[in-house]
Amino acid sequence: MSRLSLQRWRRQLFGSVPDTVLSLGLGALMAWAAWGFLHWAFGQAQWLVVRANAATLAIGRYPEAQEWRLWLLLGMLVSLTGLSWGLLRGRGGAAAPGWPLNDRIAAALLGLLTLGLPPLLAFGAINQGRLLCLLGLLLLLRTLAGRWGNHPWGQRLAKGWPLVWAGAYLLGLWLIGGGLGLTPVRPSDWGGLLFTLLITSLTLLLALPLGVLLALGRRSELPLLRWVSVAYIEVIRGAPLITLLFLGQNLVGFLLPGGLAPDRVWRAAAVLTGFAAAYVAEAVRGGLNAVPRGQLEASRSLGLSTAQTLALVVLPQALKVALPALVGQCIALLQDTTLLSIIGLFDLLGIARSVLANPDWLGRYAEVYLVLAVLYWGSCAALSLGSRALEQRLSSNNLRPSHR
Amino acid sequence: MTSNQLMIEARGVNKWYPNGFQALRGADLEVRRGEKVVIMGPSGSGKSTFLRTFNALEDFQEGSIVVDGMALNNDLRNIDAIRREVGMVFQQFNLFPHLSVLDNLLLAPVWVRKRPRAEVREQALALLERVGIGPQADKFPGQLSGGQQQRVAIARALCMEPRIMLFDEPTSALDPEKVREVLDVMRQLAFDGMTMVVVTHEVGFAREVADRVVLMDEGEVVEVAPPQQFFNNPEHERTRRFLAQIL
Amino acid sequence: MTALPWWRDSRKLGWLVQAAVGLGLLVVVALLLSNLEQNLTRAGLRLTLGWLNQPAGFDIAETLLPYKASDSYGRALAAGLVNTLRVVGIGLVLSTALGVVAGAASFSTNPLLRGLSRTYVEVVRNIPLLLQLVFWYFAVFLTLPPANQAVQLPGLQLAKSGVYLLGARLVNGELVGGWRLSLELAALLTGLVIYSAAFIAEVVRGGIASVPRGQWEAAESLGLKPLATLRLVVLPQALRVIVPGLNSQYISLAKNSSLAVAIGYPDLYAVAETTLNQTGRGIEVFLLLMVVYLGLDLCISLLMNGVERLVHLKDR
């Protein structure tokens, strides 16, 4: 730190008497809290509960014999992530000679996590080895893809990349659920982090198009479409999620013929989708409002149909503007999945509570909940950061505002 | 095809806004093939509104408009066909900011006329050269100056190979030094034989390029005359008053 | 001239689309309702509200409204509603206070205070509310010591039997007197307030940031200290942006109060769930819940609209 900033800090912290008192008081408070926490974490806390149940927390009651499918899924995800990372970096134009600083920091962090965490959680040697291999795969693919980024081959690959992810997602669903050659694993056996991530991603993917439709409906000139959309959005937004989940679990049986009732997991997923769609609709509506009317006019005057105008001109711009709000919804959805534990499903929180109900681990609430808090916080904070980075990247495309 | 072919025939067009305000009163206009018609008038005179009825961006309650032989009515097929043949350039450029300059030009011909991308690409690049934006083909609209953006907008409209070009105050949003580069492009376009209807305040352009100049005031077509007569010896008092304000 | 086919007529198209959508919706609703009718009759539960007068037969752990197990379901639900209103009312006040302080603190000249405020917001926002609630209840409040070793804080005494405000005294190993909050209510309030205040802090921060820098500078040049500037010059202007944001946060808080069911506080939703389990009257209970919560949201919005008008009138 330069001498100047050091002086500035000193002035701000201790400039006047009230400031000094405040600084010292806050400093003392923070130190006391930190010391208290560390004392508890390394002294009184019994972390065995986390180590013994790490697998359960991660994948719930997924049958052990089928775990290899999850490893395969993880491998596929890691490969795709590595390739995507590399392709994104390589597209910069100039061939990136080494790795940018952010990438190196990320790689170092990942390395630390992979080397440090598994032994802490008492993963067996085999699993530790597998995780290290996966890390190696990630970094290798990132390096290779970084070089391909400038190849015409690589650029063609990059254009079709969203399709690759879509295909991978479907493949992942098959690996998890089974059927068609693989032993089926019932949704009620999916649990823990696996379940949370699955439900969040599935709900989001389904809620996005539904939300876009609702947003378009809300802005429609046709009164019926508008009223129906507004009514749906406002009623859903006014209701607590738990009451809607409740409806889904208990009342769907009444609404379907012959008391037909799909698996509880799908019922909950349907409710979550309908719920999230209302909020996505509001976020997209903000984006739609931001697209200037002239865009619509220019597009129509060129002869593009309403559908083409929407798909090619309006929605791309609207979604770009709505992106921060949409990521906010994604984060909210991830947090909302915890409510599934109240209706008896085994998302991460639900399975944690069932672990805590085990008399072996009675009273170890703080340890388990803290680990969960770190996991959730990490995911949400990462999403937040990612959205800010994406925002900056997208807005750098339109450098200068239109000159007069 | 004779040069007497009627491209736009508007008769007795009346338009009311939902709040009761009458924007157009019995407006008439005839535009023949290859003609350049300039529409002038005070603000609020309905000149932009009138122009925008020609490609159905504005509707009208009474009267009839026939564009390139197709009647402008509730028939969606007619409206689509008319929009394909009529190009429009806006005061605010309205380029698509999420697409590159080249992609702005390619969008409509590929998706509306269903032409192969490679073929349109060649034509688009040639058009961009013609308006002087050749080297900027891969840039994004946000990276261009106003004058450049408007020239791209003209090229984008031309890429659909329209038979009529409408210009809605194309230079009003530009810095004075950029106005000239756009007018030059329009002048060249006129010279190449395009049928043009231009709403503008640029008297110099009207004098040079227009075959006829139209004055609109309070929704009515007041006077239609060749530029010589319009500017030097107008028939109507309102024209004289308008000219006194702008000249 | 031949009439236009409907798919090309721009005037008719709109109506036809609406007719199609309307018809589709009607069909779906009719199907669902007929299924509902069939299933309800088969289960012997026709839609009615008469059962509200039947005796409830269950206890409610704590109520402001006097209630006993022999009272009607209607009274039980009313007790739940009162509990919800109690939590929401106190919660709104406390979270606003904390949120405003935290939001204003992010503009402090003291970097420690700024950092603390930012850290608080960034940490709390990204952890699910339910997790925070169960943490507070199970890991903190349930581990409180018995009454004779109660934790002493200024004005507060925390013990296994509850949280006591304003002077409770130890009598025969038990705490009596003062105002007692059950552990459930205390945990619910703590979690809810801390969570909501973080979001309110962001709203306040955004509002203050929306006031042009020139206002601060003008106030400073007039000799006003930062705190006074904030209070007299900036906050009144920031309120215009803050009030709509507060509206949505308050509604969130009201909805989030329904998570009380997870930690055993008998709010409206919890009582409703018990009622449903006992009577099987799913549709009626659900509709009641929706009406009440939507009504609550409406009240909050009306209140905030009134506040907004007040804030507006002041400077015109």
Side-chain angles (χ1 to χ4, degrees):
Chain A
M1 257 191 289
S2 74
R3 203 173 158 72
L4 203 63
S5 47
L6 209 72
Q7 280 185 343
R8 189 158 42 98
W9 273 61
R10 190 131 48 105
R11 198 169 10 107
Q12 284 182 332
L13 283 171
F14 303 111
S16 63
V17 173
D19 267 335
T20 313
V21 169
L22 191 64
S23 302
L24 287 177
L26 280 177
L29 193 69
M30 280 163 38
W32 174 77
W35 188 82
F37 176 73
L38 287 171
H39 176 76
W40 171 83
F42 289 103
Q44 298 172 334
Q46 297 166 25
W47 296 102
L48 184 60
V49 62
V50 177
R51 294 173 71 168
N53 292 295
T56 314
L57 286 174
I59 57 177
R61 296 189 301 214
Y62 207 84
E64 225 177 296
Q66 306 297 326
E67 265 179 36
W68 60 271
R69 283 150 60 171
L70 296 179
W71 281 107
L72 198 61
L73 175 63
L74 193 58
M76 187 173 68
L77 282 175
V78 163
S79 317
L80 276 184
T81 309
L83 286 171
S84 307
W85 188 6
L87 280 174
L88 269 175
R89 285 289 191 223
R91 274 176 94 193
W99 285 24
L101 182 64
N102 282 344
D103 283 13
R104 287 188 222 181
I105 298 179
L109 274 171
L110 281 170
L112 260 158
L113 273 173
T114 323
L115 283 169
L117 217 52
L120 263 176
L121 294 173
F123 280 9
I126 304 178
N127 284 341
Q128 287 191 44
R130 282 187 190 150
L131 284 171
L132 278 171
C133 284
L134 283 175
L135 180 67
L137 187 65
L138 177 72
L139 297 175
L140 178 69
L141 284 173
R142 186 253 173 269
T143 320
L144 284 177
R147 292 220 199 102
W148 293 342
N150 269 330
H151 249 257
W153 203 80
Q155 289 189 356
R156 229 174 297 146
L157 195 66
K159 283 226 170 117
W161 207 233
L163 280 173
V164 175
W165 272 104
Y169 192 78
L170 288 170
L171 198 64
L173 282 177
W174 173 58
L175 279 173
I176 297 176
L180 297 175
L182 290 176
T183 325
V185 178
R186 284 193 326 258
S188 40
D189 286 336
W190 309 343
L193 189 59
L194 171 71
F195 182 73
T196 294
L197 290 176
L198 187 64
I199 277 279
T200 309
S201 57
L202 195 64
T203 306
L204 199 65
L205 284 175
L206 292 173
L208 268 173
L210 191 57
V212 169
L213 279 174
L214 281 169
L216 290 172
R218 186 162 183 164
R219 283 168 46 104
S220 165
E221 289 169 346
L222 306 173
L224 182 68
L225 289 181
R226 202 169 49 234
W227 293 339
V228 168
S229 305
V230 169
Y232 181 85
I233 294 175
E234 290 304 319
V235 167
I236 296 282
R237 285 178 71 208
L241 178 56
I242 190 70
T243 55
L244 294 172
L245 283 173
F246 183 67
L247 169 74
Q249 294 297 304
N250 294 309
L251 304 182
V252 164
F254 280 136
L255 292 172
L256 290 179
L260 172 81
D263 193 303
R264 295 205 304 150
V265 170
W266 300 129
R267 269 182 269 166
V271 168
L272 265 179
T273 303
F275 182 76
Y279 291 84
V280 166
E282 285 300 278
V284 171
R285 190 166 77 102
L288 286 171
N289 284 340
V291 177
R293 197 187 156 70
Q295 292 292 305
L296 208 80
E297 292 183 343
S299 181
R300 305 296 263 127
S301 74
L302 282 169
L304 289 160
S305 71
T306 319
Q308 289 168 329
T309 306
L310 264 178
L312 299 167
V313 174
V314 174
L315 277 180
Q317 296 184 55
L319 289 176
K320 209 193 279 197
V321 173
L323 200 59
L326 282 175
V327 175
Q329 281 314 311
C330 193
I331 295 177
L333 191 60
L334 181 59
Q335 297 190 9
D336 284 337
T337 58
T338 51
L339 268 72
L340 293 176
S341 64
I342 301 185
I343 54 176
L345 291 177
F346 291 115
D347 73 305
L348 185 56
L349 182 59
I351 207 124
R353 297 188 79 179
S354 78
V355 163
L356 287 165
N358 186 328
D360 286 340
W361 312 114
L362 203 60
R364 301 269 66 89
Y365 299 103
E367 291 88 338
V368 175
Y369 287 152
L370 267 168
V371 168
L372 252 61
V374 168
L375 278 172
Y376 278 111
W377 186 87
S379 319
C380 295
L383 278 170
S384 219
L385 268 174
S387 124
R388 259 174 265 173
L390 202 63
E391 230 185 305
Q392 279 180 348
R393 248 186 134 239
L394 286 175
S395 68
S396 69
N397 265 342
N398 318 338
L399 278 177
R400 279 160 18 191
S402 323
H403 273 4
R404 276 209 81 247
Chain B
M1 285 164 233
T2 69
S3 60
N4 280 329
Q5 182 189 13
L6 258 182
M7 295 303 281
I8 300 180
E9 186 183 350
R11 297 219 181 286
V13 177
N14 281 305
K15 179 185 169 73
W16 288 268
Y17 281 122
N19 63 6
F21 176 72
Q22 188 169 11
L24 295 173
R25 296 169 203 276
D28 293 325
L29 189 67
E30 274 183 14
V31 181
R32 298 192 180 274
R33 192 188 178 85
E35 253 202 301
K36 337 280 174 218
V37 174
V38 169
I39 306 181
M40 308 186 101
S43 68
S45 55
K47 50 191 196 297
S48 282
T49 313
F50 195 33
L51 187 77
R52 289 148 68 96
T53 55
F54 299 156
N55 69 348
L57 282 184
E58 300 271 356
D59 64 353
F60 55 95
Q61 282 76 33
E62 281 175 28
S64 78
I65 302 184
V66 180
V67 176
D68 199 14
M70 296 177 282
L72 247 184
N73 51 22
N74 294 313
D75 191 343
L76 285 174
R77 201 160 68 174
N78 275 9
I79 296 180
D80 283 340
I82 289 174
R83 285 189 175 147
R84 284 198 288 270
E85 302 306 325
V86 176
M88 185 148 191
V89 175
F90 298 85
Q91 183 177 355
Q92 299 296 335
F93 332 138
N94 289 336
L95 290 181
F96 304 134
H98 61 296
L99 298 174
S100 72
V101 162
L102 187 59
D103 285 329
N104 261 273
L105 268 72
L106 295 180
L107 188 71
V110 167
W111 287 92
V112 180
R113 289 206 193 274
K114 314 272 194 264
R115 290 168 57 193
R117 203 180 173 86
E119 177 193 316
V120 186
R121 202 161 180 279
E122 269 189 53
Q123 181 192 3
L125 286 169
L127 269 172
L128 287 174
E129 281 292 342
R130 205 168 130 193
V131 300
I133 307 280
Q136 272 93 344
D138 286 317
K139 291 222 179 121
F140 282 82
Q143 297 169 293
L144 300 178
S145 75
Q148 290 171 317
Q149 288 190 47
Q150 192 63 299
R151 283 183 278 148
V152 171
I154 297 177
R156 179 178 66 174
L158 288 175
C159 209
M160 280 290 281
E161 297 174 327
R163 303 169 82 176
I164 309 170
M165 281 286 279
L166 305 175
F167 293 81
D168 188 359
E169 304 211 32
T171 55
S172 299
L174 294 175
D175 290 329
E177 59 267 23
K178 309 285 183 192
V179 168
R180 183 159 169 198
E181 62 193 52
V182 173
L183 288 182
D184 283 345
V185 170
M186 290 167 65
R187 204 171 290 125
Q188 184 61 43
L189 195 62
F191 187 68
D192 290 337
M194 173 67 75
T195 312
M196 293 163 61
V197 183
V198 182
V199 171
T200 184
H201 297 297
E202 295 289 329
V203 174
F205 178 81
R207 266 204 237 262
E208 250 189 84
V209 173
D211 291 318
R212 284 182 296 152
V213 183
V214 174
L215 176 77
M216 283 193 73
D217 190 16
E218 293 182 357
E220 290 179 301
V221 172
V222 173
E223 181 161 350
V224 183
Q228 262 288 23
Q229 182 190 334
F230 186 89
F231 290 112
N232 299 335
N233 202 4
E235 225 183 279
H236 292 91
E237 175 58 36
R238 281 151 96 180
T239 321
R240 265 189 279 268
R241 242 183 300 143
F242 173 71
L243 288 174
Q245 285 176 328
I246 65 163
L247 286 180
Chain C
M1 189 166 80
T2 52
L4 277 178
W6 59 270
W7 68 86
R8 272 163 44 189
D9 191 332
S10 66
R11 269 181 317 183
K12 295 214 194 109
L13 204 58
W15 291 110
L16 283 164
V17 167
Q18 288 185 89
V21 169
L23 202 66
L25 280 174
L26 273 171
V27 165
V28 168
V29 170
L31 269 175
L32 288 178
L33 282 179
S34 87
N35 284 334
L36 188 67
E37 169 85 45
Q38 271 183 1
N39 291 329
L40 280 180
T41 345
R42 212 177 308 160
L45 302 163
R46 278 177 55 251
L47 285 178
T48 165
L49 285 178
W51 54 272
L52 280 174
N53 290 323
Q54 291 169 11
F58 60 85
D59 271 316
I60 298 184
E62 56 176 295
T63 55
L64 219 50
L65 196 68
Y67 168 84
K68 45 192 193 302
S70 54
D71 283 332
S72 66
Y73 283 115
R75 197 165 174 84
L77 288 170
L81 177 59
V82 170
N83 280 340
T84 290
L85 290 175
R86 178 149 78 131
V87 164
V88 172
I90 304 176
L92 284 182
V93 171
L94 288 180
S95 58
T96 309
L98 181 57
V100 167
V101 167
S106 64
F107 290 94
S108 161
T109 48
N110 188 320
L112 267 183
L113 196 56
R114 270 203 315 264
L116 204 63
S117 153
R118 290 265 74 220
T119 312
Y120 160 61
V121 171
E122 286 303 317
V123 165
V124 170
R125 271 190 346 168
N126 288 320
I127 302 179
L129 174 59
L130 186 56
L131 182 57
Q132 296 187 37
L133 280 177
V134 292
F135 174 79
W136 284 110
Y137 185 60
F138 290 102
V140 175
F141 280 88
L142 277 186
T143 61
L144 284 174
N148 48 10
Q149 298 164 17
V151 175
Q152 306 277 359
L153 288 176
L156 278 178
Q157 282 170 325
L158 309 166
K160 227 187 208 23
S161 52
V163 171
Y164 298 85
L165 284 94
L166 307 170
R169 267 156 298 119
L170 207 54
V171 172
N172 290 342
E174 275 184 23
L175 281 167
V176 286
W179 187 30
R180 176 184 169 274
L181 293 171
S182 70
L183 286 182
E184 288 76 22
L185 181 56
L188 182 62
L189 274 176
T190 310
L192 211 55
V193 166
I194 291 183
Y195 187 76
S196 306
F199 288 87
I200 292 180
E202 276 299 277
V203 170
V204 170
R205 195 173 74 95
I208 296 182
S210 75
V211 176
R213 180 117 202 103
Q215 295 290 308
W216 290 89
E217 293 171 350
E220 198 181 347
S221 69
L222 282 169
L224 283 170
K225 288 277 193 313
L227 213 64
T229 309
L230 191 68
R231 196 165 50 90
L232 300 169
V233 175
V234 175
L235 260 182
Q237 296 185 58
L239 276 174
R240 242 177 291 163
V241 173
I242 291 177
V243 170
L246 276 185
N247 189 359
S248 69
Q249 288 310 319
Y250 286 169
I251 293 182
S252 281
L253 194 150
K255 289 189 289 174
N256 286 336
S257 69
S258 60
L259 292 181
V261 68
I263 60 176
Y265 178 73
D267 77 319
L268 175 63
Y269 176 75
V271 173
E273 201 184 86
T274 316
T275 308
L276 171 71
N277 287 333
Q278 277 195 222
T279 63
R281 298 245 164 226
I283 308 286
E284 295 93 325
V285 169
F286 173 73
L287 284 175
L288 272 170
L289 279 176
M290 292 295 280
V291 165
V292 171
Y293 278 109
L294 285 176
L296 195 56
D297 294 339
L298 203 65
C299 288
I300 294 179
S301 287
L302 283 174
L303 193 72
M304 295 309 283
N305 276 343
V307 172
E308 193 166 5
R309 229 171 295 143
L310 215 79
V311 168
H312 255 110
L313 272 175
K314 271 202 174 147
D315 49 33
R316 285 247 170 243

